[in-house]
Amino acid sequence: MQTDSSFTFVLFGGTGDLSMRKILPALYEAHRAGMLEASGKIIAVARHEEDRGGYLQWVNEHVKTHVSRNGVDENAWSSFVDRIEYVKLDLGKAEDFVKLRDAMQDLPGTRVFYLATGPSLFVPICRALASVGLNENARIVLEKPLGYDLRSSNAINDAVGEIFAEGQIYRIDHYLGKEPVQNLLALRFGNALFEPLWRREWVESIQITIAEELGVEARGDFYDNTGALRDMVQNHLLQLLSIVAMEPPHSMDSDSVRDEKLRVLRALKPIDPRDISKVAVRGQYHAGVIRGTSVPAYATEPGVKTDSATETFVALKVEIENWRWAGVPFFLRTGKRLADRVAEIVVNFRAVPHSALGSSALRPGANRLVIRLQPNETIRLYCLAKKPGEGMNLSSVHLDLAFDQFFKEGQMEAYQRLLLDVIHGRLALFVRRDEQEAAWKWVEPILNEWAASGKPKPYAAGTWGPAAASAMLAQHDTCWLEEEN
């Protein structure tokens, strides 16, 4: 379906890994589906000595391999690359931004500036754009991480906020664009079935996991100064938690949704530094085997200090101090070099108070909702049913919402949805500044305590992390989903 929104999309970091793997493939998919205004242009910006032809050759070599599972439609690809221009730009040279302004002079529509760069470049880029008048009729997209802690995050937000209004700033978290997260909102707020159960009286515990098989790859220098708590918990996991736990908004407009998420973040029970060892587990992977392949220890990865105390695994017990969720533990977990690549939300409902059908109806997890974000995007509801045959013997069964079976049209990837939202000016799936501040305030006591304490607990690559993460759940008579299976 064609839109009527003309735009110029300027991609800083146009030769970088994120641009090749995610942003340009997402724009291509939107183009192929007819979701981009025909007059819309893409200007890639980088400091490499390339002309347009050289850049398009680079795009052909590095973007096509990341395009959808259906492969490349050569006709659509040809018309897509016709949209792309290239501008060599040195951030230290004001005249280069004049060159960018001149390249955009006669291009119509909204200006979108996507900063697929390190956060240290966010402020210099924004100031340079303003110096040549490119901050008007514009939207700015900021990738994570936005700062190293609350103070540095506020410094970036303050500086960017002097140039762009809050309504022009799109702080992206791609997990919020995933189809199952959107369907979680639809299930809760579009049906009478789930919302009455979505509270402390009926929910025993909730788990949110983002697990990766990969290590730090070529990002050792960056990761060793960041760690899993900053890289994943402060943004992705707390954003997913706020979506799961939020109150029904009065509408789906951007501020209504984000107001409710903010209330959750502000209701998080503060972490007492004296209790951190009870509610927070940090780990670091050692050498191990993943799917038959030996992988090295984190401390031997390129760019990582040999005596590094950076965590590659975090598990947390989180509580929300409000009427809906008081007393319900939320268990958050993320890590690198784990046994599988999976992102999922598990809602464990309470067992029935009395069963005339045997003890299986009383076991924890007999009723649960599993929202799988990756690799296969599904929502699965588990319940008990009678086994065929003699006697009343119960067995666990599940009802599936498998999107590819119910909906014939292809699913939209998270970045595709979010980039279209930027172009159309929809802010609901982007993080507002006060949300970000609330998340940093909650995380900081953990960061400070870990900075002052010893090393993370070791775990072998290819496992599910330190045993302490399982012990933390055992204190609440529960376990991680894969341990039960």
Side-chain angles (χ1 to χ4, degrees), residues 337-350:
R337 292 292 192 208
L338 298 182
D340 200 2
R341 173 181 175 264
V342 62
E344 64 188 7
I345 300 164
V346 180
V347 180
N348 289 311
F349 294 101
R350 296 189 184 278

Side-chain angles (χ1 to χ4, degrees), residues 358-396:
S359 60
S360 58
L362 297 172
R363 68 176 177 82
N367 299 145
R368 65 161 51 105
L369 186 69
V370 178
I371 302 138
R372 176 66 64 91
L373 308 180
Q374 65 184 30
N376 302 311
E377 298 184 342
T378 59
I379 296 178
R380 180 172 286 183
L381 177 64
Y382 288 83
C383 54
L384 294 175
K386 178 189 175 297
K387 288 182 179 180
E390 187 178 4
M392 182 59 74
N393 298 310
L394 303 183
S395 180
S396 179

Side-chain angles (χ1 to χ4, degrees), residues 273 276-277 280 282 309-311 445-456:
I276 283 178
S277 62
R282 62 171 174 159
T310 298
E311 77 283 353
I446 308 173
L447 287 171
N448 295 337
E449 182 65 19
W450 283 354
S453 60
K455 286 195 169 186

Side-chain angles (χ1 to χ4, degrees), residues 16 36 63 65 70 137-138 186 207 210 235 343 351 356 364 397 415 423 438 478:
L36 297 181
V63 175
T65 56
N70 299 320
N137 188 31
Q207 301 174 18
I210 302 177
N235 40 69
V397 297
Y415 268 96
I423 291 169
T478 189

Side-chain angles (χ1 to χ4, degrees), residues 204 217 237 258 276 292 297 340 371 375 394 400:
E204 184 174 69
E217 306 308 295
L237 281 168
R258 297 190 295 179
I276 283 178
D340 200 2
I371 302 138
L394 303 183
D400 269 346

Side-chain angles (χ1 to χ4, degrees), residues 175 181 208 210 236-244 345 373:
Y175 275 88
V181 175
I208 305 177
I210 302 177
H236 297 326
L237 281 168
L238 289 185
Q239 281 293 315
L240 290 177
L241 180 147
S242 66
I243 289 284
V244 170
I345 300 164
L373 308 180

Side-chain angles (χ1 to χ4, degrees), residues 3 5 7-14 18-38 40-45 55 59 63 66-68 73 76-85 110 112-116 141 172 412-424:
T3 73
S5 299
F7 66 93
T8 301
F9 189 98
V10 181
L11 179 57
F12 286 87
L18 180 64
S19 297
M20 297 297 111
R21 289 188 303 109
K22 296 294 185 182
I23 300 170
L24 288 173
L27 289 170
Y28 162 74
E29 293 292 356
H31 168 86
R32 178 163 71 169
M35 295 178 172
L36 297 181
E37 167 64 31
K41 293 292 184 183
I42 300 167
I43 299 178
V45 172
Y55 180 72
V59 167
V63 175
H66 299 293
V67 166
S68 84
D73 179 321
W77 180 261
S78 177
S79 57
F80 171 68
V81 296
D82 284 345
R83 294 180 182 269
I84 300 176
E85 300 292 338
T110 300
V112 174
F113 297 103
Y114 196 115
L115 275 54
V141 186
I172 195 166
M412 190 181 293
E413 295 292 335
Y415 268 96
Q416 182 181 343
R417 171 181 288 105
L418 294 172
L419 294 181
L420 288 170
D421 279 359
V422 177
I423 291 169
H424 293 295

